[in-house]
Amino acid sequence: MTPAQPQLPLSAADRDQTSGLKKIRDFLKVRTSYDVLPLSFRLIVFDTTLLVKKSLSILLQNGIVSAPLWDSKTSTFAGLLTTSDYINVIQYYWANPDALNQVEMFRLNSLRDIEKALGVTPIETVSINPLKPLYEACRRMLESRARRIPLVDVDDETQRAMIVSVVTQYRILKFVAVNVTETRMLRKPLMDLNLGTYEHLETAKMTTPVIEVIHKLVKHNISSVPILNSEGVVINVFEAVDVITLIKGGVYEDLNLKVGEALQKRSEDFPGIYTCSIHDRLDTIFDTIRKSRVHRFVIIDENSRLKGVLTLSDILEYILLEGEGEDAS
């Protein structure tokens, strides 16, 4: 019988990393989703009888990419409308090009029928009471693979559901970055954390047709595709939200555009793409999240060639699950 090998003592960096992660989880367990909300905010809720085309115009006018749905017949929360649902409409139109008039008349409550026709994931219906710990909201997002979660309370007088707001992964991670100083303890580089995706990456070129990129987004359930030049250098990223701009006003012809042409239609306030290397540490990643509106990091090498992609989902999953079983001890 081979004697068990003694465990090597943790390095100072390992101890700090473990301690920092525990501090973040402890923080999330004593804060609620209400704490994340700004002092004043605007909430846009769509009735499920609204035309899909009109909902798209409202999103664009207000600079948002998702909205809770409300079923006025039953007075109940009916899910969350996201860019994935518009992409489903595009997929349906692409498969049924003669049905444009039908697509134009689609209402939000007919999205279920589109999902069934395409055999895709149903509209997101996960939600949480805003008084529940923020930690629970994060776990629920991870379990459902949702990037945002509606906060649904109950009216004390009517006992009916009441949509309060929507909390995103970005807002939660920024809340952590601003309020938990122990993020400075997360000094291990990405290369040591197995954090991010480095294999089987979907990419495109500036000459790739937009519809091909959309098919990639759907097939691989991803929210972005890095755009590379002929040498593999990252020059841009096509995001799922870029699709909304292309089909505004119900003009589906823009789906025939090349990626380069489509990206020129982005609004002037587009924040740009954020990159990092495998040598960057999570403390600097959190510092960037604290200062800038980030949705993902494209991981590149010293020559700006693509190495991987780090999403906010990756970061959220890491801080929630890494070493969680050791917290009690």
Side-chain angles (χ1 to χ4, degrees):
M1 183 176 178
T2 305
Q5 295 294 320
Q7 282 191 334
L8 294 173
L10 291 176
S11 66
D14 285 327
R15 288 195 299 271
D16 282 351
Q17 194 86 5
T18 300
S19 179
L21 291 172
K22 184 178 185 305
K23 288 290 185 181
I24 293 172
R25 286 193 284 267
D26 289 345
F27 175 79
L28 292 172
K29 289 174 182 177
V30 297
R31 295 302 189 102
T32 71
S33 297
Y34 267 129
D35 296 326
V36 182
L37 300 180
L39 292 176
S40 63
F41 61 89
R42 176 180 52 186
L43 176 65
I44 294 176
V45 179
F46 290 151
D47 191 284
T48 53
T49 58
L50 186 69
L51 287 171
V52 171
K53 182 179 178 180
K54 285 190 176 180
S55 72
L56 182 61
S57 298
I58 295 171
L59 290 185
L60 285 166
Q61 289 168 10
N62 290 276
I64 55 177
V65 296
S66 67
L69 299 178
W70 183 258
D71 188 331
S72 54
K73 290 182 178 179
T74 59
S75 295
T76 55
F77 166 68
L80 184 69
L81 181 72
T82 69
T83 50
S84 297
D85 300 302
Y86 293 107
I87 288 175
N88 288 343
V89 173
I90 290 170
Q91 294 267 91
Y92 182 87
Y93 166 69
W94 205 255
N96 305 275
D98 297 331
L100 181 58
N101 290 336
Q102 179 188 355
V103 171
E104 288 279 283
M105 298 309 295
F106 276 147
R107 298 185 183 275
L108 294 177
N109 54 16
S110 61
L111 291 174
R112 302 280 188 187
D113 298 327
I114 296 175
E115 293 162 359
K116 291 177 182 177
L118 295 173
V120 296
T121 306
I123 199 167
E124 294 177 10
T125 55
V126 62
S127 66
I128 194 166
N129 188 294
L131 291 174
K132 294 284 188 181
L134 198 52
Y135 178 85
E136 189 174 325
C138 294
R139 290 299 297 252
R140 199 165 292 187
M141 275 194 285
L142 284 185
E143 290 164 4
S144 64
R145 296 180 59 83
R147 300 180 182 92
R148 50 184 58 80
I149 187 167
L151 308 180
V152 181
D153 207 342
V154 176
D155 187 285
D156 291 336
E157 294 183 4
T158 64
Q159 295 302 305
R160 288 184 173 179
M162 176 177 64
I163 301 172
V164 175
S165 188
V166 177
V167 172
T168 63
Q169 291 178 339
Y170 165 73
R171 187 172 286 280
I172 291 172
L173 289 173
K174 180 171 182 176
F175 186 62
V176 169
V178 169
N179 293 285
V180 184
T181 58
E182 285 82 4
T183 54
R184 293 178 298 189
M185 302 173 73
L186 307 179
R187 295 194 295 268
K188 296 185 70 175
L190 294 180
M191 63 186 297
D192 293 347
L193 301 178
N194 192 29
L195 191 54
T197 302
Y198 299 88
E199 298 179 350
H200 310 299
L201 296 169
E202 292 298 319
T203 64
K205 297 180 180 179
M206 293 292 262
T207 54
T208 304
V210 166
I211 192 64
E212 285 187 21
V213 180
I214 290 174
H215 291 327
K216 288 176 184 280
L217 294 173
V218 174
K219 181 179 179 181
H220 302 283
N221 193 25
I222 52 179
S223 61
S224 67
V225 174
I227 309 303
L228 313 181
N229 68 9
S230 58
E231 297 175 348
V233 172
V234 178
I235 54 177
N236 217 317
V237 173
F238 187 92
E239 304 177 354
V241 294
D242 288 319
V243 173
I244 291 182
T245 308
L246 291 180
I247 60 171
K248 64 181 178 182
V251 182
Y252 290 85
E253 286 78 9
D254 279 354
L255 298 173
N256 292 310
L257 292 176
K258 306 297 184 187
V259 165
E261 297 169 317
L263 294 180
Q264 290 178 1
K265 293 178 175 288
R266 277 176 171 164
S267 64
E268 293 182 359
D269 61 353
F270 176 72
I273 64 174
Y274 289 83
T275 62
C276 66
S277 79
I278 58 173
H279 305 293
D280 280 317
R281 308 178 315 195
L282 212 49
D283 61 342
T284 60
I285 297 288
F286 267 107
D287 197 42
T288 302
I289 291 172
R290 180 174 60 84
K291 297 174 181 176
S292 310
R293 189 170 185 81
V294 188
H295 297 292
R296 68 190 58 77
F297 293 85
V298 180
I299 305 170
I300 56 175
D301 65 14
E302 60 276 10
N303 297 311
S304 296
R305 290 190 176 90
L306 180 67
K307 297 293 290 183
V309 175
L310 176 67
T311 67
L312 299 189
S313 296
D314 295 330
I315 298 171
L316 193 63
E317 182 174 2
Y318 175 78
I319 64 174
L320 287 187
L321 304 183
E322 180 64 26
E324 184 194 26
E326 302 168 12
D327 283 359
S329 57

